[in-house]
């Protein structure tokens, strides 16, 4: 049962990472690409870390996974904001 949950989480992580990559390639401007890479990419990373925690098992792995997911969700918006400001500055806005 653990293998099935791990496989589903890993496949979902791969799917969302693929969606983020397609969004980065297909969106027309820097702000749209930044949105795709930060929002969907951090969600895919969180699913991958969660899949690893479920596969490893134990309290230590789950605690480290929660800390890593919180770090992802705290730093991704900051990075996206800085990229957006840089793109706006380069565009002259």
């Amino acid at each position: 049962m653990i293998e099935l949950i791990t496989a589903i989480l890993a496949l979902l992580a791969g799917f969302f990472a693929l969606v983020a990559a397609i969004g980065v390639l297909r969106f027309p401007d820097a702000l749209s690409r930044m949105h795709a890479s930060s929002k969907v990419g951090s969600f895919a990373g969180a699913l991958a870390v969660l899949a690893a925690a479920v596969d490893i098992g134990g309290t230590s792995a789950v605690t480290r996974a929660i800390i890593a997911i919180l770090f992802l969700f705290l730093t991704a918006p900051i990075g996206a904001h800085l990229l957006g400001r840089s793109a706006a500055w380069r565009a002259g806005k």
Side-chain angles (χ1 to χ4, degrees):
M1 184 66 174
I2 297 296
E3 291 85 12
L4 180 66
I5 295 171
T6 302
I8 290 171
L9 288 172
L11 285 173
L12 283 173
F15 172 74
F16 282 114
L18 179 66
V19 168
I22 291 171
V24 168
L25 291 175
R26 299 280 303 179
F27 284 148
D29 59 342
L31 296 177
S32 298
R33 288 188 293 252
M34 175 224 29
H35 178 74
S37 67
S38 67
K39 303 294 181 200
V40 183
S42 63
F43 186 63
L47 284 174
V49 169
L50 193 59
V54 168
D55 188 44
I56 294 170
T59 308
S60 176
V62 172
T63 305
R64 291 178 185 186
I66 290 171
I67 291 170
I69 290 170
L70 287 174
F71 182 75
L72 271 173
F73 285 150
L74 288 174
T75 57
I78 295 168
H81 175 74
L82 291 175
L83 286 172
R85 284 186 60 155
S86 173
W89 181 76
R90 291 193 76 183
K93 295 181 181 178

